[in-house]
Amino acid sequence: MRSIWKGSISFGLVNIPIKVFGATESHSVSFRQVHASDGGRIRYRKVCELEETEVPNEEITKAFEAPDGTTVPLSDEELESLPLPTAKTVDILAFVPGDTIDPLQLDRSYYLAADGAGAAKPYVLLREALNRSQKVAIAKLALRGRETLGMIRVIEDALVLHTMLWPDEIRQPTGIAPDAKVKVRDAELDLADTLMATLGELEIEELHDEYREAVEALVTAKLEGTEPEPVGAPAEGRGKVIDLMAALEKSVKAVQEGRGEGEEAAAKKAPAKKTAKTARTAKETTAKTTAEKKPAGTKSTAKKTAAKKAPAKKTAAKKRASA
């Protein structure tokens, strides 16, 4: 990575020389404007609206537009002469809990690296102080020709700077929420909780830009002269007013089916039924086998017992006759 800015962090009387690197990069799809008839590139030229002629870059300067529309030219020398204490310094103002910073204020992200061997120890000192206090540092700095707020925090073993918007740059959410008083039933909240639990955890590292992949596949197909693969239909029901309970129930069911939970539940019940049926079949088979193996003319145990008891009764009758 190439450093985009050099300066120092002012931490009380401690000075930490740093280099700033961009922490993010854009992979979004980029298109060019071309002439539809011949494919020629469409380019923008800087034209003076008074002379209606193209102006080279060396003749272009900055100007501030006043509220009445009047433009006031400002040279680079005049701008550089303005007092800007944070021109090359990230001046730490305070340390605050991270959860007190509204994410709406966060703008761009940068990695801060120690610049030189002498910066290593104060760099680690600030990093460990932030780790132990579980706080973030709020600072002021001048970056890209303007002064801005910044928040310094720790990611793994590195210090990260997030530029921040000024408080007056955050719009208030006036008129955003529904005006009407909407009442949500407990049953609807329960289904919403069930849907949230069913969706489970998210592996954010596995997410990717499907639109960019589809555009790249379309471009590749056009270059190769082949037919692009069909794109899946968009999800139904968007923009329509539907029954909330039915939508929640359908969503829970769809997630469960998508993860195979419905099939797993059915698979767990199926072996139980099969086992009971197998047990009955085995019992009937055993009884049939036993009957087939029994020799012909064999008397049952009950009949044998009755035969044994018969002589006893006959003996008793003879004794009564003799008496």
Side-chain angles (χ1 to χ4, degrees):
M1 291 187 291
R2 185 173 61 88
S3 172
I4 63 172
W5 189 82
K6 284 188 177 184
S8 61
I9 298 176
S10 176
F11 177 28
L13 296 178
V14 178
N15 191 62
I16 311 172
I18 58 167
K19 292 187 291 185
V20 179
F21 299 87
T24 61
E25 57 186 4
S26 175
H27 291 166
S28 61
V29 178
S30 178
F31 297 102
R32 302 290 186 187
Q33 289 187 335
V34 297
H35 192 189
S37 60
D38 56 15
R41 286 282 301 275
I42 303 298
R43 299 184 182 275
Y44 293 95
R45 297 180 178 178
K46 299 177 181 180
V47 177
C48 175
E49 63 179 14
L50 297 179
E51 299 178 357
E52 296 184 354
T53 57
E54 186 175 356
V55 180
N57 288 332
E58 57 269 16
E59 295 182 12
I60 298 175
T61 186
K62 296 176 182 177
F64 184 85
E65 186 174 357
D68 60 355
T70 305
T71 55
V72 181
L74 299 172
S75 65
D76 292 338
E77 292 76 13
E78 290 174 327
L79 292 174
E80 290 175 359
S81 65
L82 294 176
L84 189 59
T86 57
K88 287 293 183 180
T89 304
V90 180
D91 187 16
I92 294 180
L93 306 176
F95 295 89
V96 300
D99 56 5
T100 62
I101 304 301
D102 192 335
L104 280 174
Q105 280 192 263
L106 301 182
D107 192 11
R108 296 178 178 271
S109 302
Y110 303 92
Y111 289 129
L112 303 181
D115 188 10
K121 188 167 183 177
Y123 183 98
V124 173
L125 171 65
L126 177 58
R127 182 190 69 194
E128 296 306 313
L130 291 173
N131 275 331
R132 190 166 71 171
S133 65
Q134 295 295 305
K135 292 183 177 181
V136 297
I138 303 300
K140 288 175 66 176
L141 69 149
L143 188 63
R144 301 187 184 278
R146 54 167 293 188
E147 189 173 56
T148 183
L149 284 175
M151 181 186 78
I152 301 175
R153 66 186 182 103
V154 180
I155 293 182
E156 296 182 0
D157 291 333
L159 294 178
V160 178
L161 169 69
H162 300 278
T163 56
M164 300 172 61
L165 302 174
W166 296 99
D168 59 358
E169 293 178 317
I170 305 297
R171 295 175 178 174
Q172 296 301 315
T174 306
I176 301 300
D179 294 333
K181 294 182 179 180
V182 180
K183 185 176 181 181
V184 180
R185 294 179 294 169
D186 290 340
E188 293 169 338
L189 281 174
D190 292 341
L191 269 176
D193 291 339
T194 302
L195 177 58
M196 292 167 63
T198 304
L199 289 174
E201 298 180 355
L202 175 67
E203 295 293 338
I204 199 167
E205 293 81 7
E206 297 179 1
L207 300 180
H208 56 278
D209 188 348
E210 297 180 5
Y211 177 75
R212 176 167 58 89
E213 293 178 355
V215 171
E216 291 173 352
L218 176 61
V219 171
T220 302
K222 280 182 168 291
L223 290 175
E224 296 176 352
T226 59
E227 287 293 329
E229 296 183 1
V231 181
E236 298 180 358
R238 293 188 179 182
K240 298 179 181 179
V241 179
I242 57 177
D243 181 66
L244 184 57
M245 287 290 289
L248 288 170
E249 291 173 353
K250 188 176 180 181
S251 300
V252 172
K253 185 178 179 181
V255 173
Q256 290 176 342
E257 290 178 352
R259 293 188 173 182
E261 294 181 7
E263 296 177 1
E264 291 177 4
K268 289 179 180 179
K269 294 179 180 179
K273 294 181 179 179
K274 188 175 180 181
T275 304
K277 185 177 179 181
T278 305
R280 289 196 301 271
T281 305
K283 186 175 181 181
E284 292 172 0
T285 305
T286 304
K288 186 177 180 181
T289 305
T290 305
E292 290 175 354
K293 289 183 178 180
K294 189 182 294 182
T298 304
K299 297 180 180 180
S300 64
T301 306
K303 291 182 178 180
K304 289 182 179 180
T305 305
K308 289 181 180 179
K309 290 181 178 180
K313 291 182 179 180
K314 189 174 181 181
T315 304
K318 286 184 179 178
K319 287 183 179 180
R320 285 196 299 269
S322 301

